[in-house]
Amino acid sequence: MEKAIRIIRDEHRSISAVLSGLRAVAQVAREGKLRPDFAVFRAMIYYIDAFPERMHHPKEDAHLFARLLPRDPGARELIEALQAEHIQGARLVRDLERALLAYEQTWPAGVEPFIAAVENYAQFHWSHMRREEQDLIPRAEKALTAEDW
């Protein structure tokens, strides 16, 4: 159990670090003095898409949520809300990609919609991870057996 929870929390910290970095680089770009290195933005957004959306969340859906629900039927509403957030997060990544493309094509214009998309995704994802760590993981720790983990 401890190893699985540690992995989830470590992955959350990695995601959070990239989100913090993306926010910081986006804020620097707001100055508009130098053309940003858009490859850096693309790499960070690629990570956000490839890791949380394609690897981390599917593991939660297939393993943690699937094992918790039979052991704690009262967690259904929370699990369904988190699954809906996984879907919403994927849509927000597409918004980030579109905002970045528009920004790159219209630079120096387009920075504010891009920063807004970055902020929207970062705040959304931090709230999602906090909900998992504060609400879901404690339920899982109580309900799941060693065999489940």
Side-chain angles (χ1 to χ4, degrees):
M1 171 174 58
E2 290 176 18
K3 182 179 178 186
I5 291 170
R6 188 180 70 246
I7 289 169
I8 291 168
R9 288 188 171 133
D10 286 349
E11 289 179 357
H12 283 177
R13 277 194 295 277
S14 295
I15 294 164
S16 190
V18 173
L19 291 175
S20 293
L22 179 59
R23 285 180 74 221
V25 174
Q27 289 301 324
V28 169
R30 177 177 264 152
E31 296 171 11
K33 295 176 184 173
L34 297 173
R35 183 173 175 85
D37 184 347
F38 287 98
V40 171
F41 287 129
R42 281 191 297 278
M44 295 174 109
I45 293 171
Y46 175 80
Y47 171 86
I48 290 168
D49 186 36
F51 185 72
E53 300 303 331
R54 295 186 189 178
M55 295 178 70
H56 178 76
H57 293 157
K59 285 191 295 190
E60 289 174 338
D61 291 336
H63 301 290
L64 182 56
F65 298 170
R67 284 179 174 80
L68 180 57
L69 193 54
R71 301 268 189 218
D72 181 1
R76 178 176 299 281
E77 186 176 322
L78 174 61
I79 290 170
E80 288 175 353
L82 292 170
Q83 288 173 321
E85 289 176 7
H86 288 175
I87 294 166
Q88 182 182 359
R91 283 194 301 265
L92 292 174
V93 170
R94 302 290 81 78
D95 291 347
L96 266 176
E97 291 169 335
R98 284 189 292 275
L100 176 59
L101 180 61
Y103 177 37
E104 187 171 11
Q105 291 176 343
T106 63
W107 182 85
V111 71
E112 292 305 324
F114 175 65
I115 289 173
V118 168
E119 286 297 322
N120 190 37
Y121 184 83
Q123 294 305 321
F124 165 82
H125 210 93
W126 281 324
S127 174
H128 173 77
M129 291 185 294
R130 188 171 35 257
R131 195 168 182 193
E132 287 178 341
E133 292 195 18
Q134 292 177 356
D135 300 337
L136 183 78
I137 289 175
R139 289 186 88 129
E141 288 174 319
K142 288 179 187 172
L144 296 180
T145 67
E147 188 176 276
D148 293 323
W149 289 103

